[in-house]
Amino acid sequence: MPTTVLVGLQWGDEGKGKIIDFLTERSDLVVRFQGGNNAGHTVEIGKEQFILHLIPSGILRQGTLNVIANGVVVNPLALCHEIDELQRRGVDVLQRLRLSSRCHLLFTYHGMMDSFREAQLGEGKIGTTKRGIGPAYADKASRVGIRACVLRDVARFETLFRARAEFYNHLFTNAEVGTLEVENEWEKLRQAASVLAPLVEDTALLVNRAAAAGKSILMEGAQGTWLDVDFGTYPFVTSSNTIAGAACTGTGLAPHRIDRVTGVVKAYTTRVGSGPFPTELSDATGDALRRRGSEYGATTGRPRRCGWFDAVATRYAAMLNGADGAALTKLDVLDGFESVRICTAYELDGRVVTDMPTDGEEIARVRPRYEEMPGWLADTTSATTYEDLPEAARAYIRRLMELTGMRLEIVSVGPRRDQTFSVGD
Ligand code: IMP
């Protein structure tokens, strides 16, 4: 059975949670490999909606084992809260979740530092989720992080936590911002450690043994390619590598063990937070996309910025990820448009550009060149096969695949589990 990596090819919020839920029917193991509780993966099952932040979406399918691997930064309090919520709704979590002993832990002081840095940046702020993701990865790279393995040794955990909390409180005092109530926080963490410690193990061994035994493994990416810390629209990015390559470093599975990469793309584009967005529409069409697509952040509730499909950015993203297959989501949101547009090139300082520039300042200045296609003005929400789609919708999809160099694998036409279908050869 194959090992598949599933990643977002835009700015996040492509609908990965839903596609992962669809694919987990055939998966033994679902593995998160980067990011933290900045992610918000929405899955609708029947009348119920679940938003997962740290726990892999596979938890909603019986029979899958779910792994939070070493590349993820884990807030123990947020993870305990998510576990409690799911257990309360009848999902059996503790038996089917494993936490890598090498995960770096994220604490309240990281969130406070995130908010402080954003406030310092003023107009130039990144628009982070304020979940402390950047400061937690910074501590990891600075070699002062605290890893999940210490959850099994509460005395050592307490010593390490108090030392780091003291360090941060010292900075906060000098910056004249509120400090962390260490006693109160430690009490919550001590309780969290007792819940999480039994889940902690060397997940690099677990994942490699599963691969060797021929199990089907799904690696669940969070955020999207243009938020990648190396390749994204820096500095308006997240602090992890979000591309498929991170599935190796974030889990300990070697590159040649990965069989395929599926890229998730929305039928149009959205972005939440600050930073360049070439096809952004600050007009009634953008508002219509937001309204029809319910484009509000699953983690922060912020309205998402909306625009047409950007084939320049997506083709580059497909290359970075080696995405051969595409999962196209939210096609139904375009149902009511008389015509639809695709950005096929940018204009930059009088030149035509067909590859994404490196410099965010240049990306902010490009002007998109559009190709217009007729809309389909028909309801696609009950389609269950590719052939059910109106010809104009199929023509639109064919053009997206042609421009981005991918093969269509999956289409999603609504939020429900039964509104997703595979596409044959
Ligand atoms: P951070 O990851 O909280 O540091 O935020 C950095 C940037 O990534 C901001 O623009 C966020 O809005 C964006 N971001 C982080 N996580 C997600 C996500 O899951 N979906 C979409 N955007 C995200």
Side-chain angles (χ1 to χ4, degrees):
M1 294 292 276
T3 294
T4 303
V5 180
L6 190 119
V7 281
L9 299 188
Q10 294 157 322
W11 275 273
D13 306 318
E14 296 91 353
K16 293 179 292 296
K18 187 179 185 227
I19 302 299
I20 291 156
D21 177 64
F22 179 71
L23 292 175
T24 47
E25 203 174 5
R26 302 171 233 156
S27 308
D28 300 305
L29 230 70
V30 184
V31 187
R32 264 288 297 272
F33 56 87
Q34 46 73 226
N37 63 327
N38 47 351
H41 292 162
T42 307
V43 183
E44 284 192 23
I45 303 169
K47 290 199 165 54
E48 286 210 84
Q49 189 189 63
F50 295 86
I51 301 179
L52 299 158
H53 298 286
L54 273 167
I55 299 177
S57 312
I59 205 75
L60 301 172
R61 293 264 189 200
Q62 284 298 331
T64 56
L65 186 63
N66 294 271
V67 177
I68 301 177
N70 58 280
V72 180
V73 285
V74 175
N75 179 331
L77 303 181
L79 179 56
C80 282
H81 178 70
E82 203 169 321
I83 292 172
D84 281 351
E85 284 285 298
L86 287 170
Q87 299 257 113
R88 203 173 46 74
R89 294 174 70 180
V91 182
D92 162 32
V93 182
L94 293 174
Q95 301 304 315
R96 297 193 292 116
L97 180 67
R98 299 289 181 274
L99 175 63
S100 166
S101 46
R102 295 185 175 92
C103 275
H104 277 254
L105 299 178
L106 182 156
F107 299 100
T108 304
Y109 52 68
H110 290 126
M112 293 165 73
M113 181 54 99
D114 198 351
S115 299
F116 173 62
R117 280 195 191 154
E118 283 285 270
Q120 290 295 104
L121 286 170
E123 286 290 294
K125 71 173 188 208
I126 293 163
T128 72
T129 59
K130 299 194 180 156
R131 298 293 190 269
I133 305 299
Y137 277 114
D139 272 4
K140 171 178 174 174
S142 306
R143 296 152 296 177
V144 291
I146 302 176
R147 301 196 299 172
C149 47
V150 303
L151 291 171
R152 297 185 289 214
D153 179 348
V154 179
R156 202 163 130 241
F157 181 25
E158 181 170 7
T159 308
L160 291 171
F161 169 72
R162 284 184 184 277
R164 289 306 291 158
E166 192 182 323
F167 170 82
Y168 274 96
N169 270 347
H170 179 70
L171 296 184
F172 295 149
T173 309
N174 288 337
E176 297 181 358
V177 290
T179 51
L180 178 69
E181 278 274 353
V182 178
E183 296 311 319
N184 189 14
E185 191 72 4
W186 170 247
E187 187 45 35
K188 289 193 249 170
L189 286 168
R190 201 178 53 75
Q191 287 174 30
S194 69
V195 175
L196 301 179
L199 311 182
V200 174
E201 69 173 77
D202 183 342
T203 59
L205 284 175
L206 176 83
V207 173
N208 275 283
R209 284 177 183 155
K215 302 267 188 210
S216 169
I217 304 175
L218 184 63
M219 307 277 207
E220 168 178 344
Q223 290 84 46
T225 297
W226 293 111
L227 292 171
D228 182 281
V229 68
D230 281 279
F231 294 100
T233 49
Y234 193 91
F236 300 99
V237 294
T238 191
S239 297
S240 62
N241 283 113
T242 58
I243 60 171
C248 294
T249 53
T251 63
L253 195 70
H256 66 286
R257 302 259 180 250
I258 291 177
D259 300 297
R260 53 199 252 187
V261 179
T262 297
V264 187
V265 282
K266 216 180 259 190
Y268 49 98
T269 315
T270 62
R271 169 163 206 174
V272 60
S274 327
F277 177 3
T279 61
E280 180 170 16
L281 295 167
S282 310
D283 59 9
T285 309
D287 292 344
L289 286 170
R290 186 176 310 105
R291 200 175 50 251
R292 292 179 196 188
S294 304
E295 294 294 355
Y296 295 88
T299 299
T300 57
R302 291 179 289 177
R304 295 179 185 142
R305 301 155 65 192
C306 298
W308 294 119
F309 189 92
D310 184 340
V312 177
T314 311
R315 180 175 50 243
Y316 201 110
M319 172 193 80
L320 291 173
N321 288 283
D324 22 41
L328 183 71
T329 63
K330 293 191 130 176
L331 181 69
D332 55 299
V333 173
L334 299 181
D335 283 356
F337 287 88
E338 277 183 16
S339 62
V340 285
R341 290 176 150 206
I342 307 171
C343 167
T344 54
Y346 300 150
E347 275 173 37
L348 177 65
D349 303 331
R351 286 176 294 126
V352 176
V353 176
T354 50
D355 290 316
M356 190 72 150
T358 300
D359 191 346
E361 192 273 328
E362 286 190 343
I363 302 172
R365 278 192 295 117
V366 301
R367 288 165 53 107
R369 277 194 167 190
Y370 289 112
E371 196 173 285
E372 188 155 325
M373 296 184 75
W376 40 98
L377 294 174
D379 182 8
T380 59
T381 56
S382 46
T384 54
T385 66
Y386 182 69
E387 288 66 37
D388 289 343
L389 296 173
E391 172 46 30
R394 284 184 289 178
Y396 177 68
I397 298 175
R398 276 197 301 275
R399 187 70 181 129
L400 298 188
M401 295 303 114
E402 186 177 49
L403 286 166
T404 57
M406 291 187 287
R407 186 174 36 79
L408 185 69
E409 278 180 356
I410 297 169
V411 178
S412 160
V413 289
R416 292 196 321 266
R417 201 176 238 183
D418 60 4
Q419 289 176 303
T420 307
F421 52 85
S422 293
V423 180
D425 295 334

